[in-house]
């Protein structure tokens, strides 16, 4: 494809949100260009069976689902390029520019509208065994994987709201949930802490640092240091809930980000999001809810979503962003 032409829409990112935006925009004849990144497909490429994707009674493999979504977008006229966007320039009110790095330097792409769908990565501990056992007992999504741990022993690492939510999700299936936290108090909201601390299946280990995940081929134990003393905890699952890092470094100073680095849109339920929504309130409704602080630049999926981070919610937001972009382009 000639990258000097001005596209109607460029989608940056290729998880469920990027590809769903691609499907909708392509079916609206926008011929979107999807800059999918060198490692396309997002977080679902790291998962095995997804059991909560509606319409697949027996579950579907993450990589297969992403491949199907890509092909579906291409079938309707989307073009997918496996390139990483490293820089953007949204200073022109009409033409937005994104730049990808190539072996010969930098290539510029231009578009009238952009959807940012670059996702978020789970923060990892970086301890031995963690990477090797991902999908074999180590998980970053309790909502997705809790049901695989029926009557099993589990461990959750972290002390924020995600850790509390993951713990509560696991108590519905697992025989026990041990929360491992590096300090002597949680930072999670009081109500979530109370629910966790009052649940009879939950035990908390304070001042405890995970050191190594063990097991072959699947997790059998976690080595920790509790108050400086080495201990082995027998467990079938290690759930990491120490936060997420939205992929927005290349967007800093180009679109409004919140304090955690997530892109703010008119649907973000934060002070900044409410301010954007208020400014976009017209005749009783908020125009283009998925628009960011930059006119013509929309965002969808985990890169805006502090809370849900599910394939289905990311997909739905991709759909919303594509419809907003289409209507916004039409109005112009
Ligand atoms: P947070 O950053 O709030 O919490 C991360 C937790 O992990 C902290 O307890 C932190 O410890 C711990 N941690 C970080 N790094 C390490 C490490 N290397 N080793 C061990 N422990 C570590 O992330 P969350 O994902 O929990 O939440 C992010 C945001 O999303 C928050 O604003 C939260 O309120 C919100 N959220 C809201 C929900 C809801 O309303 N339903 C649900 C989930 C999240 P320490 O306490 O020592 O810093």
């Amino acid at each position: 494809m000639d990258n000097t032409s001005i596209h109607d829409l460029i989608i940056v990112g290729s998880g469920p949100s990027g590809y769903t935006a691609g499907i909708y925009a392509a079916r609206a004849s926008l011929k979107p260009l999807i800059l999918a990144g060198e490692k396309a497909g997002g977080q679902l490429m790291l998962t095995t069976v997804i059991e909560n994707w509606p319409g697949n009674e027996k579950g579907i493999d993450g990589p297969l689902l992403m491949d199907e979504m890509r092909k579906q977008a291409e079938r309707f006229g989307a073009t997918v390029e496996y390139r990483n966007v490293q820089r953007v320039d949204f200073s022109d009110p009409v033409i937005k520019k994104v730049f990808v790095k190539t072996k010969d330097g930098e290539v510029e792409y231009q578009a009238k509208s952009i959807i940012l769908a670059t996702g978020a990565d789970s923060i990892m501990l970086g301890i031995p065994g963690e990477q090797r056992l991902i999908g074999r007992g180590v998980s970053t999504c309790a909502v997705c994987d809790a049901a695989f741990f029926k009557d099993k022993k589990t461990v959750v690492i972290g002390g924020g709201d995600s850790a509390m939510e993951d713990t509560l999700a696991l108590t519905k299936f697992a025989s026990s949930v041990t929360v491992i936290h590096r300090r002597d108090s949680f930072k999670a909201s009081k109500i979530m802490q109370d629910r966790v601390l009052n649940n009879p299946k939950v035990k908390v280990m304070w001042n405890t640092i995970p050191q190594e995940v063990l097991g072959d081929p699947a997790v059998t134990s976690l080595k920790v240091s509790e108050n400086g003393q080495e201990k082995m905890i027998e467990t079938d699952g290690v759930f990491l809930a120490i936060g997420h890092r939205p992929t927005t470094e290349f967007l800093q100073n180009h679109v409004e980000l919140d304090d955690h680095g997530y892109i703010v849109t008119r649907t973000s339920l934060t002070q900044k999001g409410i301010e954007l929504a208020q400014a976009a309130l017209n005749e009783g409704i908020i125009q283009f809810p998925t628009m960011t602080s930059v006119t013509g630049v929309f965002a969808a999926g985990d890169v805006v979503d502090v809370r849900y981070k599910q394939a289905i919610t990311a997909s739905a937001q991709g759909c919303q962003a594509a419809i907003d972009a289409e209507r916004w382009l039409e109005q112009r």
Side-chain angles (χ1 to χ4, degrees), residues 124-125 157-163 165 181-183 185 187 192 210 241-244 260 306-307:
M124 307 299 284
L125 289 164
I157 296 164
D161 280 322
S162 296
E165 271 200 352
H181 185 39
R182 64 182 176 183
R183 290 189 298 115
S185 62
K187 71 186 280 193
M192 296 291 279
I242 60 171
H244 289 84
H260 295 275
V306 178
R307 215 163 254 121

Side-chain angles (χ1 to χ4, degrees), residues 146-167:
F148 298 123
F149 289 82
K150 191 160 171 23
D151 300 327
K152 303 220 162 160
K153 291 182 191 150
T154 57
V155 156
V156 172
I157 296 164
D161 280 322
S162 296
M164 303 301 112
E165 271 200 352
D166 286 5
T167 302

Side-chain angles (χ1 to χ4, degrees), residues 10-13 35 83-92 95-101 106-111 113-118 247-257 263 292-294 297-298:
I10 290 178
I11 297 164
V12 185
L35 294 173
R83 293 177 149 186
N84 285 343
V85 172
Q86 60 171 9
R87 190 164 77 80
V88 298
D89 180 352
F90 296 155
S91 56
D92 187 296
I95 303 299
K96 315 291 175 224
K97 297 174 183 166
V98 300
F99 302 85
V100 303
K101 199 177 171 184
E106 196 173 55
V107 174
E108 177 184 321
Y109 293 82
Q110 299 187 349
S113 66
I114 304 276
I115 293 176
L116 299 167
T118 47
T247 312
T248 51
E249 265 171 35
F250 71 108
L251 295 169
Q252 268 172 30
N253 305 318
H254 297 285
V255 290
E256 179 115 52
L257 304 178
I263 300 173
T292 66
S293 57
V294 180
V297 177
F298 304 80

